[in-house]
């Protein structure tokens, strides 16, 4: 039952328990640990990515049902291209397949798809999938799935700085007018609010160039579970922890 629903974090009583859990409006997730999951089973790394992509389908469904408004997932970073050619190829095939197979479910669940990253630098075949997924889903409004694809936080900030420098050079804005909101308005998806919660499974404790600007005040949750094993209960554990956080955004708490 919804207690209330808005663009801000919502509190709701979850279906599977009577507890009152705060649901982040914007959740960002590292799909991390696929390679180790596969290695533990003597499988190629690409097998881990395949199960990881299936887990993304589950995550979309859980988040849509729980009332998350924006879900950003780290799919391919600007650094991932230096992996073995075979793995990069498998990732690209999975990406194409994901939209072929999962689009009807995305449509049913009202999930709009958007991308954050250096899309222009991707091969034409992938850019076609990106364009189609974005255009086909424009009308959906239940949740936005944002796929960080060829994404790097530093590259995103550098590109924003470049755009602003051009505007300064052509006299559109003055250097003294450049502030935090100017930079924020030149990021990949300026209309998307900053993530409330960032989840990184697989035991790694770093940001790895993900949403560097946007996560300045995000709550962080680290878990040892490998992404292909990530369960709804793991998600709820992160949400329960998020519910107990006092977010002060650098200010002092007023009584
Ligand atoms: C990180 O785990 C995961 C990736 C680099 C790829 C994630 C991509 C997918 C799950 C599927 C493709 C995307 C879509 C949108 C369908 P890792 O390989 O670094 O794992 P490891 O740390 O155990 O080696």
């Amino acid at each position: 039952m919804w207690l209330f629903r808005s663009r801000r974090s919502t509190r709701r009583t979850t279906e599977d328990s009577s507890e009152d859990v705060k649901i982040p409006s914007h959740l960002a997730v590292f799909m991390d640990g696929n390679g180790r999951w596969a290695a533990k089973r003597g499988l190629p790394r690409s097998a881990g990515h395949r199960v990881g992509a299936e887990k993304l389908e589950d995550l979309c469904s859980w988040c849509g049902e729980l009332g998350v408004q924006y879900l950003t997932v780290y799919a391919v970073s600007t650094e991932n291209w230096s992996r073995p050619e075979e793995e990069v190829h498998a990732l690209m095939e999975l990406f194409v397949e994901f939209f072929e197979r999962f689009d009807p479910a995305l449509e049913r669940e009202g999930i709009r798809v958007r991308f954050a990253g250096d899309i222009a630098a991707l091969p034409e075949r992938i850019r076609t999938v990106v364009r189609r997924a974005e255009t086909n889903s424009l009308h959906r409004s239940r949740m936005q799935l944002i796929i960080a694809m060829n994404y790097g936080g530093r590259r995103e900030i550098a590109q924003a700085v470049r755009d602003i420098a051009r505007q300064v050079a052509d006299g559109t804005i003055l250097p003294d007018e450049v502030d935090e909101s100017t930079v924020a308005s030149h990021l990949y998806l300026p209309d998307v609010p900053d993530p409330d919660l960032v989840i990184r499974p697989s035991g790694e404790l770093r940001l790895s160039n993900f949403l560097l600007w946007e996560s300045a005040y995000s709550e962080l949750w680290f878990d040892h579970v490998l992404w292909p094993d990530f369960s709804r209960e793991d998600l709820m554990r992160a949400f329960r922890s998020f519910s107990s956080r006092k977010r002060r955004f650098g200010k002092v708490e007023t009584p």
Side-chain angles (χ1 to χ4, degrees):
M1 181 194 78
W2 288 110
L3 296 183
F4 64 89
R5 187 172 181 163
S6 75
R7 295 236 145 188
R8 305 181 73 79
S9 304
T10 56
R11 270 193 183 274
R12 65 167 302 198
T13 304
T14 55
E15 230 171 54
D16 37 355
S17 91
S18 57
E19 68 187 326
D20 187 18
V21 174
K22 189 156 71 170
I23 306 296
S25 170
H26 184 173
L27 171 69
V29 177
F30 286 77
M31 300 189 286
D32 199 11
N34 301 337
R36 277 164 285 166
W37 184 92
K40 270 169 61 178
R41 289 160 179 80
L43 298 168
R45 294 177 57 82
S46 57
H49 294 315
R50 174 167 292 281
V51 182
E54 286 165 10
K55 188 58 66 174
L56 173 58
E57 300 182 10
D58 293 341
L59 182 70
C60 287
S61 168
W62 301 331
C63 287
E65 168 215 325
L66 288 164
V68 170
Q69 302 283 319
Y70 302 88
L71 168 64
T72 300
V73 291
Y74 207 0
V76 176
S77 77
T78 46
E79 290 74 36
N80 286 155
W81 305 103
S82 54
R83 293 188 175 206
E85 205 184 310
E86 194 186 296
E87 182 175 348
V88 172
H89 178 74
L91 270 174
M92 292 304 108
E93 290 307 310
L94 257 181
F95 179 80
V96 174
E97 195 188 310
F98 177 85
F99 287 103
E100 278 168 5
R101 203 189 56 240
F102 193 44
D103 198 56
L106 291 169
E107 172 71 33
R108 224 178 20 252
E109 305 221 14
I111 300 176
R112 179 178 171 193
V113 182
R114 302 176 77 184
F115 293 85
D118 191 355
I119 303 302
L122 291 168
E124 174 53 29
R125 179 166 171 247
I126 303 298
R127 278 188 283 138
T128 305
V129 175
V130 165
R131 271 196 303 272
R132 200 180 303 136
E134 284 189 329
T135 313
N136 288 352
S137 68
L138 267 175
H139 62 285
R140 303 177 196 154
S141 58
R142 188 174 179 214
M143 183 177 90
Q144 295 194 14
L145 167 64
I146 297 155
I147 299 183
M149 184 72 188
N150 196 20
Y151 177 87
R154 288 182 173 183
R155 190 176 292 187
E156 178 177 35
I157 295 167
Q159 168 250 259
V161 171
R162 214 164 36 240
D163 286 353
I164 296 165
R166 280 198 202 97
Q167 292 193 336
V168 169
D170 71 20
T172 314
I173 50 171
L174 297 169
D176 285 347
E177 289 170 349
V178 176
D179 60 12
E180 290 178 23
S181 69
T182 321
V183 178
S185 71
H186 285 83
L187 299 177
Y188 290 129
L189 299 173
D191 61 303
V192 173
D194 290 342
D196 299 293
L197 175 67
V198 178
I199 297 179
R200 182 161 197 171
S202 93
E204 304 294 354
L205 303 176
R206 45 178 181 268
L207 285 177
S208 300
N209 210 10
F210 189 37
L211 304 177
L212 293 184
W213 179 280
E214 297 88 338
S215 64
Y217 285 103
S218 302
E219 298 297 322
L220 307 177
W221 175 256
F222 298 100
D223 196 324
H224 279 280
V225 65
L226 301 175
W227 174 247
D229 289 329
F230 193 83
S231 67
R232 194 179 190 283
E233 186 43 39
D234 294 320
L235 181 68
M236 293 312 296
R237 210 176 13 255
F239 285 0
R240 262 180 238 124
S241 170
F242 175 71
S243 303
S244 70
R245 314 275 179 101
K246 294 230 175 329
R247 303 186 73 194
R248 292 187 294 275
F249 299 94
K251 302 185 183 92
V252 287
E253 218 175 327
T254 42

